[in-house]
Amino acid sequence: MNDIYSISNLINYLKLKIDTDINLKKIKVQGEISNLSYASSGHIYFSLKDNRAKVSCVYFRFNQKKDNHTFKNGDMVIVNGDVSVYEGSGNFQLYIKNIELSGKGNLYLEFELLKNKLFKEGLFDVKYKKNKPEYPLKIAVLVGKDSAAESDIRSCFKRRWPIAEVDYYYVLVQGDNSSKNICEKLIEVDEKKYDAIILSRGGGSIEDLWSFNDINLAYCIFNLKTFIITGIGHEQDFTIADFVADTRASTPTAAVELLTPDIESLLLDLKNLKSKIKSSLIIKFNDYKLKYFNCQKILDTHKNYLYTFKNKIKELNYVRCKNINNLINNYKRKVDTNRKILYILLNKKINFYKSKNQYYFELLKTSNPLHILEKGFVIAYSNNEILKSVKQIKPNSNVKIKLKDGELDLIVKEVKIEN
Amino acid sequence: MKTKFSEKFKKLEEIVSKLENEELDLDEAIFLYDEGVKLSQTLEKELDKVSEKMVDNYGE
């Protein structure tokens, strides 16, 4: 036994051991199909598993029945076949002769039950989905450390949206503590006011992705304040986390692509917008310029009108003044003439009255009753009354005699009455 | 109120015609004569006043 085996010798030895063990021939094994793959050659490759263990299986085309059932991951089956070793990989595997369905797989069943329960609770309801931020600039990525998913995400960010501030939070993406770990990180990240969270994991079997079907994780995602997008596994893989998240992307790269705008096309859009704005501004400017010129023209026309009117008014004013002056002068002349006439007439009247007055005065003078005194007549008064009869006088009474050149005071001696 | 010029003149005319035509008592005639002379003098003054005023206002 001190010989040194070659790999081939070692594997061949094991193969011989297994192939000759009748306990490993034509055996029946029950398990759940996972990692199912239909090869182009027609052979079917998959794993059979239970809660703790897993074995690779090959179902060659020539063993498959014509009416064979189409299998899918999660199917619970009972297979019939031999155990052998495949030298190429050094793996032992089951070479299947026959497969019978034995009801759905436990994990699949569990998944369906949980999905229905959460669906009924409304956790997948569209009305709870938050809107995707249009230009997320602060992003948290929850991903397995040094995983393919991480490098996919990093390169996608670098290519599409390098301006974002992206923080990577490493989580366990499979295994017993995985869900709890993811929950804790999500709660921590949710407080940091990110624009969006990416929860991502690369492809794997249903068991590998099982952490993402945890009920507590589902509630945790549902209660997040931050927008969350998942990119878990491959196109065909759906997890509960996918259903609860605000948006589901099929892969880690797709998650970044869905979340972020492409900076190149955005820059192009900006450039187009810029030139659009510029050209519309130029059009507006020219428009206003034209309007301005038109206004200027109109203003000029009005200015000319105004100037003409002003001149006309000036002219009219001059004519009017001239006319008024003429009128005034006319009236002045008339008034003057009339005044002269009036003066003449009035003078005439005055002279007329003057001469008439003179005439009357002369007449008065000629009929002056005192003229008789000139002829030697006298006038006798008693008590300032003219005496017309001697009977008015008694002897010894005083009498006044008025003569041409004076008066005489006399005392009556005797009164003689004639006839 | 002052008696109007025309009334005064009329009165003077009346006095003159009365003295010329009517048979008057001497005392009545003397009274009328005095009144006539006064009236005539007043009228002359008024006419002179008007004349003066006219020359002041309208004179050339």
Side-chain angles (χ1 to χ4, degrees), chain A residues 63-112:
Chain A
N63 285 329
Q64 293 167 19
K65 287 168 189 149
K66 288 249 169 81
D67 58 344
N68 215 338
H69 185 81
T70 311
F71 302 103
K72 58 182 186 299
N73 283 327
D75 282 350
M76 194 59 109
V77 290
I78 298 164
V79 300
N80 204 332
D82 305 331
V83 178
S84 185
V85 173
Y86 172 52
E87 295 95 325
S89 64
N91 287 340
F92 89 85
Q93 47 191 12
L94 273 169
Y95 290 83
I96 291 162
K97 300 273 189 312
N98 184 33
I99 302 180
E100 284 171 27
L101 273 172
S102 70
K104 285 190 172 177
N106 285 335
L107 286 178
Y108 183 74
L109 219 66
E110 233 178 85
F111 173 81
E112 282 296 316

Side-chain angles (χ1 to χ4, degrees), chain A residues 229-294:
Chain A
I229 178 167
T230 53
I232 298 163
H234 292 305
E235 187 64 56
Q236 73 275 13
D237 297 320
F238 275 89
T239 66
I240 295 294
D242 288 322
F243 288 114
V244 190
D246 295 310
T247 302
R248 180 249 174 190
S250 55
T251 64
T253 303
V256 179
E257 282 171 348
L258 256 175
L259 179 65
T260 60
D262 182 17
I263 196 151
E264 293 296 331
S265 66
L266 213 64
L267 284 173
L268 198 73
D269 286 352
L270 273 177
K271 210 170 145 190
N272 286 340
L273 270 176
K274 210 169 134 188
S275 69
K276 249 187 202 168
I277 287 169
K278 200 175 157 189
S279 62
S280 70
L281 267 179
I282 287 170
I283 289 169
K284 262 262 145 63
F285 175 76
N286 286 337
D287 210 37
Y288 278 114
K289 213 162 132 186
L290 197 73
K291 271 184 191 159
Y292 168 77
F293 279 128
N294 283 339

